[in-house]
Amino acid sequence: MEHIITEDEAALYDRQIRLWGLEAQQRMRNASILVAGMRALSNEVCKNIVLAGVGSITILDHEKITEQDLGAQFFLRENDLGRNRAEAAAENARLLNPRVKAFVDQGDIATKPDSFFTTFDIVCLTGCSPEEMIRIDNACRGTNTGVYAAGVHGFFGYIFCDLTQHDYREESHSSSVTKNGQEPDTMIVEKSQSYSSLSDTLQAKWGFPKPRALRRKVSPLFFAIQVLWEFQQKEGRLPQSSSQDDMDTVLRQRDEKLKAAEVDPAFVDDHLLQALVASAVAEIAPVCAIVGGFLAQDILKTLSGKDAPLFNYFLYNGLEGTGLVHNVQKS
């Protein structure tokens, strides 16, 4: 049943309605969002989309809370130790905005069938394995369900967006000359954007371009994250900074991965990989706030249907203080 925004809700969300309109807020108020994996990053996402007044949010996580989770996850408290992550986080999320329904699913994402994910308007994956991200993305493309896959590794973060085929509205401004001078002329333009799947973007061939030319198209961090995923897929864990064997394996996989993508391995230098591995398992609160804020805002933009969402990667390097958007397509 479609929820109609009440007068009280219109007053509560007044600033947002002024920004993107009542119709967009109505769409968000009826949206159902899945957030899979409760980490510091997803804490930020849940906070922002719940405060924005979406219809419902389902938090999926089968893990129990440990002391390590308390470092950067503001939804959790010390007395939550041993409880399910999703259950504890949902309790505090409800306090932010009681109008938003917050559901809990304590199942393992790996056991969920493809049909489970297609019941939502947006699926947000955080901290998932590369295999699960690809499986879920491919499943959601059949029903045009939007997918965001994101993660934070210490000072570094990434967001991938696949909306399959997304329609949105954008304002177009021009000037028309009148007797009184120039006055702005605003038109609403209907647009549509096709997205590539995650698996397709990971198979892109770059044709061994010069490093300077390639940097204008994509950040070295794009490939460094893929090398991290490659290690995770083969070893079943993230590399340890204290292990020279792990670092040697990462460098070897870097060479193999980039050559297969037709990129000079030197494009991703050893220092970047060493920094990435050194903080691969860390959750740094300011980095999570930046990446999570960008991610939540883009989810809301997608739901609103106003302006173009992320197309299709956002890569954050906290050591350089840069956040870059890249459009990666299968060549």
Side-chain angles (χ1 to χ4, degrees):
M1 181 182 297
E2 183 176 356
H3 177 89
I4 304 299
I5 292 179
T6 64
E7 290 186 10
D8 288 343
E9 289 175 328
L12 177 64
Y13 304 125
D14 178 68
R15 292 178 64 185
Q16 295 175 188
I17 292 173
R18 291 173 184 269
L19 177 63
W20 47 54
L22 182 62
E23 182 182 348
Q25 185 68 40
Q26 185 76 50
R27 282 195 291 270
M28 290 192 297
R29 195 69 186 88
N30 286 281
S32 173
I33 301 172
L34 172 68
V35 178
M38 193 43 49
R39 307 289 190 275
L41 175 61
S42 44
N43 276 214
E44 293 285 350
V45 174
C46 289
K47 175 197 69 176
N48 290 330
I49 62 178
V50 166
L51 288 174
V54 298
S56 69
I57 179 173
T58 299
I59 302 175
L60 170 66
D61 199 311
H62 70 287
E63 297 282 356
K64 302 294 184 182
I65 298 169
T66 65
E67 289 187 357
Q68 186 178 0
D69 295 319
L70 303 179
Q73 295 197 45
F74 51 76
F75 277 151
L76 308 182
R77 299 293 182 267
E78 191 172 355
N79 58 6
D80 290 323
L81 287 171
R83 296 182 64 196
N84 174 264
R85 285 177 179 168
E87 182 183 34
E91 286 182 2
N92 288 298
R94 294 186 187 105
L95 297 176
L96 294 175
N97 190 347
R99 291 175 172 80
V100 176
K101 297 176 182 178
F103 301 108
V104 174
D105 192 322
Q106 299 186 30
D108 186 343
I109 191 172
T111 66
K112 296 293 184 183
D114 292 352
S115 57
F116 169 78
F117 302 98
T118 58
T119 61
F120 299 93
D121 296 300
I122 297 287
V123 172
C124 178
L125 308 173
T126 61
C128 291
S129 68
E131 299 95 333
E132 287 303 319
M133 289 191 290
I134 291 173
R135 174 180 76 90
I136 295 166
D137 179 48
N138 289 337
C140 290
R141 287 181 64 82
T143 56
N144 209 41
T145 300
V147 173
Y148 286 84
V152 165
H153 300 285
F155 293 101
F156 306 93
Y158 68 88
I159 301 171
F160 167 76
C161 174
D162 179 10
L163 305 178
T164 310
Q165 187 71 39
H166 181 66
D167 299 326
Y168 62 96
R169 294 179 177 182
E170 199 169 65
E171 289 185 356
S172 176
H173 301 278
S174 60
S175 297
S176 56
V177 180
T178 66
K179 292 185 297 183
N180 300 323
Q182 289 188 338
E183 295 182 358
D185 186 17
T186 302
M187 297 183 298
I188 302 298
V189 180
E190 301 282 348
K191 293 190 175 183
S192 185
Q193 181 65 61
S194 298
Y195 283 73
S196 293
S197 69
L198 176 59
S199 58
D200 279 351
T201 64
L202 298 180
Q203 295 172 26
K205 304 296 183 184
W206 299 86
F208 291 107
K210 293 182 178 180
R212 181 175 296 181
L214 184 56
R215 278 183 178 274
R216 289 196 290 267
K217 296 180 179 179
V218 69
S219 164
L221 185 57
F222 172 73
F223 301 103
I225 293 292
Q226 290 186 54
V227 173
L228 200 66
W229 289 352
E230 185 86 7
F231 184 97
Q232 187 178 3
Q233 285 179 301
K234 292 185 177 180
E235 303 296 332
R237 60 177 175 83
L238 290 170
Q240 298 177 354
S241 58
S242 59
S243 172
Q244 186 58 47
D245 288 341
D246 282 3
M247 194 67 234
D248 291 342
T249 300
V250 167
L251 294 175
R252 184 178 68 254
Q253 290 174 338
R254 182 268 315 268
D255 294 347
E256 296 171 354
K257 186 73 177 178
L258 269 66
K259 287 179 181 177
E262 298 179 3
V263 175
D264 184 351
F267 184 69
V268 180
D269 61 49
D270 293 1
H271 296 297
L272 175 60
L273 286 175
Q274 288 166 354
L276 181 60
V277 170
S279 61
V281 299
E283 293 183 307
I284 299 177
V287 176
C288 292
I290 292 170
V291 178
F294 186 103
L295 174 54
Q297 186 61 38
D298 208 73
I299 290 174
L300 296 174
K301 185 186 293 185
T302 295
L303 293 173
S304 74
K306 183 177 181 180
D307 297 328
L310 172 64
F311 185 58
N312 50 356
Y313 277 91
F314 173 75
L315 299 168
Y316 180 75
N317 185 330
L319 296 179
E320 297 179 353
T322 58
L324 303 175
V325 173
H326 299 294
N327 170 21
V328 179
Q329 304 292 320
K330 185 178 180 181
S331 53

Coordinates of all heavy atoms in Angstrom, one line a residue, residues 38-84:
M38 N 26.7 -5.0 8.6 CA 26.7 -3.9 9.5 C 28.1 -3.6 9.9 O 28.7 -4.3 10.8 CB 25.8 -4.2 10.7 CG 25.4 -3.1 11.6 SD 25.0 -1.5 10.8 CE 23.7 -2.0 9.6
R39 N 28.6 -2.5 9.3 CA 30.0 -2.0 9.6 C 29.9 -0.5 9.9 O 28.8 0.0 9.9 CB 30.9 -2.3 8.4 CG 30.9 -3.6 7.8 CD 31.7 -4.6 8.7 NE 31.9 -5.9 8.1 CZ 31.1 -6.9 8.0 NH1 29.9 -6.7 8.5 NH2 31.4 -8.0 7.4
A40 N 31.0 0.1 10.2 CA 31.0 1.5 10.4 C 30.5 2.3 9.2 O 29.8 3.3 9.4 CB 32.4 2.0 10.8
L41 N 30.8 1.8 8.0 CA 30.3 2.4 6.8 C 28.8 2.4 6.7 O 28.1 3.4 6.4 CB 31.0 1.8 5.6 CG 30.5 2.2 4.2 CD1 30.7 3.7 4.0 CD2 31.1 1.4 3.1
S42 N 28.2 1.2 7.0 CA 26.8 1.1 6.9 C 26.1 1.8 8.0 O 24.9 2.1 7.9 CB 26.4 -0.4 6.8 OG 27.1 -1.2 7.7
N43 N 26.7 2.0 9.2 CA 26.1 2.8 10.2 C 25.8 4.2 9.7 O 24.8 4.8 9.9 CB 27.1 2.9 11.4 CG 27.0 1.8 12.4 OD1 27.2 2.0 13.6 ND2 26.7 0.6 11.9
E44 N 26.8 4.8 8.9 CA 26.6 6.1 8.3 C 25.5 6.1 7.3 O 24.7 7.0 7.3 CB 27.9 6.5 7.7 CG 29.1 6.8 8.6 CD 29.0 8.1 9.4 OE1 28.1 8.9 9.1 OE2 29.7 8.3 10.4
V45 N 25.4 5.1 6.5 CA 24.4 5.0 5.5 C 23.0 4.9 6.1 O 22.1 5.6 5.8 CB 24.6 3.8 4.6 CG1 23.5 3.6 3.6 CG2 26.0 3.9 3.8
C46 N 22.9 4.0 7.1 CA 21.6 3.8 7.8 C 21.2 5.1 8.4 O 20.0 5.5 8.3 CB 21.7 2.7 8.8 SG 21.8 1.1 8.1
K47 N 22.1 5.8 9.1 CA 21.7 7.0 9.8 C 21.2 8.1 8.8 O 20.1 8.7 9.1 CB 23.0 7.6 10.5 CG 22.8 9.0 11.1 CD 24.1 9.7 11.4 CE 24.8 10.1 10.1 NZ 26.0 10.8 10.3
N48 N 21.8 8.3 7.7 CA 21.4 9.3 6.8 C 20.1 9.0 6.0 O 19.3 9.9 5.8 CB 22.5 9.5 5.7 CG 23.8 10.2 6.4 OD1 23.6 11.0 7.3 ND2 24.9 9.9 5.9
I49 N 19.9 7.7 5.6 CA 18.7 7.4 4.9 C 17.5 7.3 5.8 O 16.4 7.6 5.4 CB 18.8 6.2 4.0 CG1 19.1 4.9 4.9 CG2 19.9 6.4 3.0 CD1 19.2 3.7 4.0
V50 N 17.7 6.9 7.1 CA 16.6 6.9 8.1 C 16.2 8.3 8.4 O 15.0 8.6 8.4 CB 17.0 6.1 9.3 CG1 16.0 6.4 10.5 CG2 17.1 4.7 9.0
L51 N 17.1 9.2 8.6 CA 16.8 10.6 8.9 C 16.1 11.3 7.7 O 15.3 12.2 7.9 CB 18.1 11.4 9.2 CG 18.7 11.1 10.6 CD1 20.0 11.8 10.8 CD2 17.7 11.5 11.7
A52 N 16.4 10.8 6.5 CA 15.8 11.4 5.3 C 14.3 11.0 5.1 O 13.6 11.6 4.3 CB 16.6 11.0 4.0
G53 N 13.9 9.9 5.8 CA 12.5 9.5 5.8 C 12.1 8.5 4.7 O 11.1 8.7 4.1
V54 N 13.0 7.5 4.5 CA 12.6 6.4 3.5 C 11.5 5.6 4.1 O 11.2 5.7 5.3 CB 13.8 5.5 3.2 CG1 14.9 6.3 2.5 CG2 14.3 4.8 4.4
G55 N 10.9 4.7 3.3 CA 9.8 3.9 3.8 C 10.2 2.9 4.8 O 9.7 2.8 6.0
S56 N 11.1 2.0 4.4 CA 11.6 1.0 5.3 C 13.1 0.6 5.0 O 13.5 0.8 3.8 CB 10.8 -0.3 5.2 OG 10.9 -0.9 3.9
I57 N 13.8 0.1 6.0 CA 15.1 -0.3 5.8 C 15.2 -1.7 6.5 O 14.7 -1.9 7.6 CB 16.1 0.7 6.4 CG1 17.6 0.2 6.3 CG2 15.8 1.0 7.9 CD1 18.6 1.2 6.7
T58 N 15.9 -2.6 5.8 CA 16.1 -4.0 6.3 C 17.6 -4.1 6.5 O 18.4 -3.9 5.5 CB 15.6 -5.1 5.3 OG1 14.2 -4.9 5.2 CG2 15.9 -6.4 5.9
I59 N 18.0 -4.4 7.7 CA 19.4 -4.6 8.0 C 19.7 -6.1 8.1 O 19.1 -6.8 8.9 CB 19.8 -3.9 9.3 CG1 19.5 -2.4 9.3 CG2 21.3 -4.1 9.7 CD1 19.7 -1.6 10.6
L60 N 20.6 -6.5 7.3 CA 21.0 -7.9 7.2 C 22.4 -8.2 7.7 O 23.4 -7.6 7.1 CB 20.9 -8.4 5.7 CG 21.4 -9.8 5.3 CD1 20.6 -10.9 6.0 CD2 21.3 -10.0 3.8
D61 N 22.5 -9.0 8.7 CA 23.9 -9.4 9.2 C 23.7 -10.6 10.1 O 22.8 -10.6 11.0 CB 24.5 -8.3 9.9 CG 26.1 -8.4 10.0 OD1 26.5 -9.5 10.5 OD2 26.8 -7.5 9.7
H62 N 24.5 -11.6 10.0 CA 24.4 -12.8 10.8 C 25.5 -12.9 11.9 O 25.4 -13.8 12.7 CB 24.5 -14.1 10.0 CG 25.9 -14.3 9.4 ND1 26.4 -13.6 8.4 CD2 26.8 -15.2 9.7 CE1 27.6 -14.0 8.1 NE2 27.9 -15.0 8.9
E63 N 26.4 -11.9 11.9 CA 27.5 -11.9 12.8 C 27.1 -11.4 14.2 O 26.2 -10.6 14.4 CB 28.7 -11.1 12.3 CG 29.2 -11.6 11.0 CD 30.2 -12.9 11.2 OE1 30.4 -13.2 12.4 OE2 30.6 -13.4 10.2
K64 N 27.9 -11.9 15.2 CA 27.7 -11.3 16.6 C 28.7 -10.2 16.8 O 29.7 -10.1 16.2 CB 28.0 -12.4 17.6 CG 27.1 -13.7 17.5 CD 25.7 -13.4 17.8 CE 24.8 -14.6 17.8 NZ 23.4 -14.4 18.1
I65 N 28.3 -9.3 17.7 CA 29.1 -8.1 18.0 C 30.3 -8.5 18.9 O 30.2 -9.2 19.9 CB 28.3 -7.1 18.8 CG1 27.1 -6.6 17.9 CG2 29.1 -5.9 19.2 CD1 26.1 -5.8 18.6
T66 N 31.5 -8.0 18.4 CA 32.8 -8.2 19.2 C 33.3 -6.9 19.6 O 32.8 -5.8 19.2 CB 33.8 -9.0 18.3 OG1 34.1 -8.1 17.2 CG2 33.2 -10.3 17.7
E67 N 34.4 -6.9 20.4 CA 35.0 -5.6 20.8 C 35.5 -4.8 19.7 O 35.5 -3.6 19.7 CB 36.1 -6.0 21.8 CG 35.6 -6.5 23.2 CD 36.8 -6.6 24.2 OE1 37.9 -6.4 23.8 OE2 36.5 -6.9 25.3
Q68 N 35.9 -5.5 18.6 CA 36.5 -4.8 17.4 C 35.4 -3.9 16.8 O 35.7 -2.9 16.2 CB 37.0 -5.8 16.4 CG 37.7 -5.2 15.2 CD 38.3 -6.2 14.3 OE1 38.2 -7.4 14.5 NE2 38.9 -5.7 13.2
D69 N 34.1 -4.4 16.9 CA 33.0 -3.6 16.3 C 32.7 -2.3 17.0 O 32.1 -1.4 16.4 CB 31.7 -4.5 16.3 CG 31.8 -5.7 15.4 OD1 32.4 -5.6 14.3 OD2 31.4 -6.8 15.8
L70 N 33.1 -2.2 18.2 CA 32.8 -1.0 19.0 C 33.7 0.2 18.7 O 33.3 1.3 19.0 CB 33.0 -1.3 20.5 CG 32.1 -2.5 21.0 CD1 32.4 -2.7 22.5 CD2 30.7 -2.3 20.8
G71 N 34.7 0.0 17.9 CA 35.7 1.1 17.6 C 35.1 2.2 16.8 O 35.3 3.4 17.2
A72 N 34.3 2.0 15.8 CA 33.8 3.0 14.9 C 32.3 2.9 14.6 O 31.8 3.8 13.9 CB 34.6 3.0 13.6
Q73 N 31.6 1.9 15.2 CA 30.2 1.8 14.9 C 29.4 2.5 16.0 O 29.3 1.9 17.1 CB 29.8 0.3 14.8 CG 30.5 -0.4 13.7 CD 29.8 -1.7 13.4 OE1 28.5 -1.8 13.4 NE2 30.6 -2.8 13.1
F74 N 28.9 3.6 15.7 CA 28.2 4.4 16.8 C 26.8 3.9 17.1 O 26.2 4.3 18.1 CB 28.1 5.9 16.3 CG 27.5 6.1 15.0 CD1 26.1 6.0 14.7 CD2 28.3 6.5 13.9 CE1 25.6 6.2 13.5 CE2 27.8 6.7 12.6 CZ 26.4 6.5 12.4
F75 N 26.3 2.9 16.4 CA 25.0 2.3 16.7 C 25.2 1.3 17.9 O 24.2 0.8 18.4 CB 24.4 1.6 15.5 CG 23.6 2.5 14.6 CD1 23.5 2.3 13.3 CD2 22.9 3.7 15.1 CE1 22.8 3.1 12.4 CE2 22.2 4.5 14.3 CZ 22.1 4.2 13.0
L76 N 26.4 0.9 18.1 CA 26.6 -0.2 19.1 C 27.2 0.3 20.4 O 28.0 1.3 20.4 CB 27.6 -1.3 18.5 CG 27.2 -1.8 17.1 CD1 28.2 -2.8 16.6 CD2 25.8 -2.4 17.1
R77 N 26.9 -0.4 21.5 CA 27.4 -0.1 22.8 C 28.1 -1.3 23.4 O 27.9 -2.4 23.0 CB 26.3 0.4 23.7 CG 25.6 1.7 23.2 CD 26.5 2.9 23.3 NE 25.7 4.1 22.8 CZ 25.7 4.5 21.6 NH1 26.4 3.9 20.6 NH2 25.1 5.6 21.3
E78 N 28.9 -1.0 24.5 CA 29.6 -2.1 25.1 C 28.7 -3.2 25.6 O 29.0 -4.4 25.6 CB 30.5 -1.6 26.2 CG 31.5 -2.6 26.8 CD 32.4 -2.0 27.8 OE1 32.4 -0.8 28.0 OE2 33.2 -2.8 28.3
N79 N 27.5 -2.8 26.1 CA 26.6 -3.8 26.6 C 25.9 -4.6 25.5 O 25.1 -5.5 25.8 CB 25.5 -3.2 27.5 CG 24.7 -2.1 26.8 OD1 24.9 -1.9 25.6 ND2 23.9 -1.4 27.6
D80 N 26.2 -4.3 24.2 CA 25.7 -5.1 23.1 C 26.6 -6.3 22.7 O 26.2 -7.0 21.8 CB 25.5 -4.2 21.9 CG 24.4 -3.2 22.0 OD1 23.4 -3.5 22.6 OD2 24.6 -2.0 21.5
L81 N 27.7 -6.4 23.4 CA 28.6 -7.5 23.0 C 27.9 -8.8 23.1 O 27.2 -9.2 24.0 CB 29.8 -7.5 24.0 CG 30.9 -6.4 23.8 CD1 31.9 -6.4 25.0 CD2 31.6 -6.5 22.5
G82 N 28.1 -9.6 22.0 CA 27.5 -10.9 21.9 C 26.2 -11.0 21.2 O 25.7 -12.0 20.9
R83 N 25.6 -9.8 21.1 CA 24.3 -9.7 20.4 C 24.5 -9.7 18.9 O 25.6 -9.5 18.4 CB 23.5 -8.4 20.8 CG 23.1 -8.3 22.2 CD 22.4 -7.1 22.5 NE 21.1 -7.1 21.7 CZ 20.4 -5.9 21.5 NH1 20.8 -4.8 21.9 NH2 19.2 -6.0 20.8
N84 N 23.4 -9.9 18.1 CA 23.5 -9.9 16.7 C 23.7 -8.4 16.2 O 23.0 -7.5 16.8 CB 22.2 -10.4 16.1 CG 22.2 -10.3 14.6 OD1 21.6 -9.3 14.1 ND2 22.8 -11.2 13.8

